[in-house]
Amino acid sequence: MRIGIDLLWVRVGICGGTESYIRNLLDGFAEYDKQNEYVLFAAKDHVRSFAKYADKPHMRLQACRVESRNRIRRIFWENAFLDAAAARCRIDVMLIPVYSKPAAHVSGIPYISVIHDFQALHYPEYFSPAKRCFLNASWKRTVRTSARLVTISDAVRKDLALHFPSAAGNAVTIYNPVATSCCGLSAGFIERRYGIRRFQYVYCVSSMLPHKNLDTILRAVRDMPNICLVLSGVGRERSLVHKLYRYQIAERVVLTGYVPDAVRDCLYENCRLFLFPSVFEGFGMPPIEAMRRGKRVVTTACASLREVTQNRAVYVEHPFSVSEWKEKIQYALTLPEEKVPFEQYEPCEIVRQYKKLFTSLAVENGKRCWDVGDRNEQMRIYEKIYDIVSEQERSAGKKLGYEKRAFLCNVGAHPQIVDVSGYKNLTNPEYCQALYMAVYHRLPEREEYQKWSAFFGMDSPSFQKKLLKKLAASSAAGINRIRLIHDPYVGRYRGIKYWLFGACYGLTDKPTLRQIGKKLPQPLQKLARKVLL
């Protein structure tokens, strides 16, 4: 089965928890699901950040002609063209990891959309009126037209049922994958970098948004003179620095700003306690990451936090109460470290649940669930067919003119998408045959083959460039909208000029003329028959 994943929305280093979620999930697909094939639709300005997946035999990186940082153009392209791109890649099931399911959905591909939270409904003050309208319209379209909805916690699923009751029966809860590993940095690193010692500080990952409830923690630290707080995710914003000086805790609070994963993990491993004061989370990865490392966590009982931490943390029932925070922090400091494995958040378990969802959806839509074994079996069948036909030709005293590798190269290929990287290891004669079959759907005629055979002595890159340049501009490529992808030699012809040439070529095609003729009024059809026939 071929699964498409939309990555166009990812803005590297900006999306926070949703970016961590999708990267953990992709790592899980790369390691634990080698039966399905994955096509990753990435924007051209961040495609390199996903380059490691292109090396996986069951994963393919599809760079799209849009930039994630240009949000308006990206949203337009995603809504107008992503579905068509998925259809060209013969996607069986499309996974949209956020709310941005394409509005143009005519391919019939079933879509799975992931709902992380409904922040704009709970905190409308964070968003402009235009953004709120856009989000509401996107959510309504997504819940109405998606074949399945995935919520990242039961709390989000209850929120979905509250705001969109008709979609509740179409939703399933699959938690976020949480991957933890040793950071590889020593405690001396953070002492040199931030001037803090192991087990001599409490750690917090937060932002300045009001629902993160950071001010309550700062006021609690103010009243606890023996506490040193290390805060990641927030830089030296003027309002925050001013608040630290007003509370007289500037010397006891270390602001790390945004830190790489390895540094963040090192801060997790060497802290005495982890604080997470947020009052609204769709899932909340940081407490899980800290508890897996044996750290005691003090957090609120709000939203999904009690659910995902499974009652294993220390909870503040009144999240804006400074006195309760002080009491719970003092209590947590008396507890020994305790590692909580949280096996249900392991990437292998989350991948298993997604695979089950993909398979059930494909079966419901009447699609055959192909895996790597199926494709290998298909290739073996075609090899056997070639060997039988070749043997019959030899018995008749003839030679089959179709080279075996050229024949097998186009097995299972899309009729309009020519992946040039799949032909690069062929010899020049094989390359000529395979590419002709991919573009023209026939072998080169005798005269054409003789003409190209004069160039078979060229080095492979030069010959491939010469042939690609010729075929990319051919009438067949124009009429059939042939796309040459992963082509290192010749840029694909694009734009209105190429489109018009294709349309003009199409007018010379007899089947096209017949289709146009059938749409004409009957009197005009009779007149055309008299004049032309």
Side-chain angles (χ1 to χ4, degrees), residues 437-511:
M437 183 58 74
V439 174
Y440 286 103
H441 305 299
R442 62 169 174 80
L443 290 173
E445 296 176 354
R446 185 186 299 274
E447 293 78 10
E448 292 174 305
Y449 193 78
Q450 288 176 349
K451 182 185 70 174
W452 285 109
S453 65
F455 303 102
F456 287 167
M458 298 173 64
D459 61 283
S460 292
S462 300
F463 177 79
Q464 293 174 9
K465 182 177 180 179
K466 185 178 183 67
L467 184 62
L468 282 169
K469 187 174 182 180
K470 178 70 175 178
L471 296 189
S474 67
S475 59
I479 293 169
N480 299 316
R481 304 291 189 270
I482 298 294
R483 296 178 64 242
L484 301 174
I485 63 174
H486 303 147
D487 178 4
Y489 307 114
V490 181
R492 176 178 169 247
Y493 289 78
R494 300 180 186 276
I496 188 67
K497 180 179 176 182
Y498 182 64
W499 184 88
L500 286 174
F501 275 134
C504 291
Y505 281 136
L507 291 176
T508 67
D509 192 45
K510 290 181 181 179

Side-chain angles (χ1 to χ4, degrees), residues 25 55 96 110 133 145 161 229 256 271 288 295 323 364 447 449 474 487 500 516:
L25 187 60
D55 297 331
I96 306 295
C133 289
T145 61
L229 173 66
T256 69
C271 72
I288 307 300
K295 304 304 172 181
S323 60
E364 283 181 20
E447 293 78 10
Y449 193 78
S474 67
D487 178 4
L500 286 174
I516 293 173

Side-chain angles (χ1 to χ4, degrees), residues 350-423:
I350 303 303
V351 166
R352 185 191 65 80
Q353 295 179 45
Y354 272 101
K355 283 175 61 180
K356 183 179 178 181
L357 183 60
F358 295 152
T359 302
S360 65
L361 194 54
V363 170
E364 283 181 20
N365 284 268
K367 294 181 180 292
R368 169 88 159 85
C369 297
W370 291 84
D371 60 19
V372 175
D374 292 319
R375 287 191 290 274
N376 290 338
E377 181 62 25
Q378 182 189 33
M379 193 64 69
R380 284 193 292 269
I381 291 171
Y382 275 93
E383 279 192 75
K384 194 170 183 179
I385 290 172
Y386 181 92
D387 292 338
I388 291 171
V389 174
S390 181
E391 182 60 34
Q392 289 176 345
E393 289 289 293
R394 274 198 299 270
S395 299
K398 300 177 183 179
K399 181 186 176 184
L400 186 62
Y402 204 170
E403 297 293 338
K404 186 173 183 178
R405 288 206 304 171
F407 171 74
L408 295 175
C409 203
N410 287 309
V411 170
H414 192 281
Q416 290 175 290
I417 300 175
V418 181
D419 187 348
V420 176
S421 64
Y423 304 87

Side-chain angles (χ1 to χ4, degrees), residues 44 112 160 162 245 262 267 287 316 323 393 404 428 440 452:
K44 62 183 180 182
I112 298 172
L160 174 69
L162 177 64
Y245 280 102
L267 290 166
V316 177
S323 60
E393 289 289 293
K404 186 173 183 178
N428 289 348
Y440 286 103
W452 285 109

Side-chain angles (χ1 to χ4, degrees), residues 258-269:
Y258 171 80
V259 293
D261 289 351
V263 177
R264 179 205 61 198
D265 292 346
C266 185
L267 290 166
Y268 275 136
E269 291 174 3

